[in-house]
Amino acid sequence: MISTEVVPPSGGAEQRRVFGGRFVTAVSLGSVLNPINSSVIAVALVAIGEAFGAGADRTTWLVSALYLATAVGQPTMGRLADRLGPRRVYLAGTALVGAGGLLGCLGWSLPALVVARVVIGLGTSAAYPAAMAMVRRRAERLDGGTPGGVLSALAIAGQVSMAVGPPLGGLLIAAGGWRMTFLVNVPLAAAGMAAALAWLPKDGPRDTGASLWRALDPAGVLLFTAALTALLVFLMDLGDPRWWLLGTSLALLAALTAWELRARAPFIDLRMLAHNRALTTTYVRYGVTMLVTYCFVYGWTLWLEQGTGRSASAAGLLMLPSFVVATAVSAFAARRRVWPSLVAGAAALSLGCGGLLLLDHRTPLWALLLVSVVFGVQNGLNIVTNQAAMYAQAPAEQTGAAAGLLRTFMYLGAITSAGMIGLAYGRRATDTGLHHLAAVLTVVALALLAVTAVDRTLAKNVK
């Protein structure tokens, strides 16, 4: 029986000593770089599009590029953290974020900005799996279950940074233009590195038992990257689909499957996923949840600016209640059973998607705030509970790689969301486009609710 019993954050002097405030602060600082870069760009897309004469169907590449890099980078960085040491990988990734931010600030074209987002994506891929690996290593010193206080802190840090992202992006654009949304990564990365050097425990000797190159499975990484890139390009132009790209992606995925089943140290351990169905279900459930969530984060923000005529800062402020509520709900959900929280989260997700169907450019402010709050509730319920389930279901020695793969599924959902937004909106977000998007999201959310509600594995075996 798999248990995700959560140890209360106040439970015992030994846990407070091992997971002290400095440790939690340091791992949280690096972990916020990914969500803040995911959300801060949302309110900059319109300004960037105007600067380079690009519509929503092109500027969404700035979203998808980060997600593609992160989808590949998270499990790769997780494997490196397991092999080389999480602190080393954490520091290297954080430095890469600063370099990507500087490149983006100097960006002279839309393709240059896409490259900067790829660099930022690869850099931010290191923090979360490295943090989870460090949490697992320190938790092994305790006689207990999942360290709920630390997992809750990581989830809350992500929610807070997502909350800060949109209004921060609006303020940065107002103060110095869209380039500031890239440059902000430089001081953030510097702060993260300083905290890591001061407060995170040094790594032990590197694992030299096998070739690092072979352990990374470069062939598997290349096949996965190629398959995902082909799929991404296909999804980015669903209005005029190039079916050969979808066929290419499926062929590459078939080749990846064949290779990974033979590899001694596979990039994606398909055998483990086949045997550990509970973990695989968690991955898929999280990916679908984040597909809908990111359609809201980016699709709703675009509609607020283009469909209702609001400024970037105003759109960012309307997103703020969602992330503030999510922060509070995350702290609550970390102390509750996983299955009821996931069912409640899926129900809130369905309610929020249904609410989008009722919006138009004349909708009063209070109704927009209500929709934002509902999506905040589902976000808080779903993120921390799926994270806790993954932590308990994953093999202890593969915590870094497993945490990275959870984020991979998250960004697979995000990549798909970019294609759906482009198809629904085209070059401009309108009421009709929002309603088309919301109709699809409502169906997906209701299906997720039904599947989660009847999941006996969660109901019986997960505490």
Side-chain angles (χ1 to χ4, degrees), residues 299-392:
W300 196 57
T301 303
L302 277 174
W303 174 77
L304 286 173
E305 292 187 54
Q306 296 182 340
T308 71
R310 286 176 168 83
S311 66
S313 57
L317 288 173
L318 277 171
M319 289 293 297
L320 186 60
S322 177
F323 297 121
V324 171
V325 169
T327 300
V329 174
S330 290
F332 170 83
R335 296 167 174 80
R336 298 296 182 271
R337 288 175 57 91
V338 169
W339 179 71
S341 296
L342 287 173
V343 172
L349 189 65
S350 302
L351 181 63
C353 293
L356 292 177
L357 287 167
L358 305 177
L359 303 181
D360 59 36
H361 65 279
R362 298 181 298 272
T363 299
L365 180 61
W366 67 265
L368 298 177
L369 291 172
L370 181 60
V371 170
S372 183
V373 167
V374 172
F375 270 95
V377 171
Q378 73 82 21
N379 218 12
L381 289 170
N382 285 316
I383 289 180
V384 69
T385 46
N386 277 299
Q387 181 177 267
M390 179 281 301
Y391 183 91

Side-chain angles (χ1 to χ4, degrees), residues 59 63 92 136 163 197 212 234 273 277 331 350 382 398 436 443:
T59 56
V63 178
R136 172 74 78 177
L197 289 169
L212 178 62
F234 170 77
L273 293 178
R277 294 185 179 180
S350 302
N382 285 316
Q398 299 180 30
H436 288 163
V443 172

Side-chain angles (χ1 to χ4, degrees), residues 264-287:
R264 292 184 179 180
F267 171 63
I268 299 176
D269 194 343
L270 297 179
R271 289 190 181 90
M272 183 272 290
L273 293 178
H275 287 95
N276 194 340
R277 294 185 179 180
L279 179 60
T280 302
T281 300
T282 294
Y283 285 152
V284 174
R285 180 178 59 247
Y286 193 53

Side-chain angles (χ1 to χ4, degrees), residues 80-146:
L80 286 172
D82 291 335
R83 293 294 305 277
L84 299 180
R87 185 175 182 262
R88 296 186 183 100
V89 173
Y90 188 100
L91 287 168
T94 305
L96 199 58
V97 174
L102 184 59
L103 176 62
C105 179
L106 300 174
W108 55 92
S109 66
L110 191 60
L113 296 184
V114 171
V115 172
R117 292 282 288 178
V118 168
V119 174
I120 291 171
L122 290 174
T124 59
S125 295
Y128 179 74
M132 293 298 285
M134 283 186 277
V135 169
R136 172 74 78 177
R137 292 183 182 188
R138 294 175 79 82
E140 288 175 350
R141 297 169 56 183
L142 299 174
D143 182 18
T146 303

Side-chain angles (χ1 to χ4, degrees), residues 234-241 419 422-423:
F234 170 77
L235 290 172
M236 291 300 293
D237 193 14
L238 292 177
D240 184 19
L423 178 62

Side-chain angles (χ1 to χ4, degrees), residues 18-28 134-135 138 150 199-201:
V18 174
F19 296 110
R22 291 182 176 181
F23 173 82
V24 174
T25 299
V27 296
S28 298
M134 283 186 277
V135 169
R138 294 175 79 82
V150 185
W199 296 333
L200 294 181

